[in-house]
Amino acid sequence: VKQYQYLIEAGSSSDILIRQWNQHDQHGTVVKTLTGHAGKVYKLFVDESNAQLFSCSNDNTIRLWD
């Protein structure tokens, strides 16, 4: 079973932000906040190597995050 250090979330409420959380921190610390979409983020995809994150938004864009 593969262990991951971070939890990535987006799309809560009308949120246009993507947040990266340290899941091993008992306080649930946000490590990084990604901005750039003008509309609500509704889908995230992480590639198998865990090197790239893709996000889709209702602003009709797909972003690639390294």
Side-chain angles (χ1 to χ4, degrees):
V1 174
K2 202 178 223 184
Q3 294 291 321
Y4 298 99
Q5 182 173 356
Y6 299 110
L7 170 68
I8 300 175
E9 105 19 72
S12 58
S13 185
S14 61
D15 210 346
I16 62 172
L17 304 175
I18 300 167
R19 291 179 188 83
Q20 180 179 352
W21 303 81
N22 183 343
Q23 69 176 7
H24 298 295
D25 177 358
Q26 66 183 11
H27 302 291
T29 305
V30 175
V31 177
K32 188 185 293 186
T33 301
L34 304 174
T35 61
H37 283 294
K40 182 178 176 180
V41 177
Y42 64 88
K43 191 165 285 211
L44 297 173
F45 174 78
V46 179
D47 74 346
E48 286 186 20
S49 68
N50 249 359
Q52 295 178 318
L53 169 70
F54 299 85
S55 59
C56 302
S57 169
N58 67 4
D59 65 4
N60 296 320
T61 62
I62 298 172
R63 291 193 174 261
L64 168 63
W65 311 87
D66 290 319

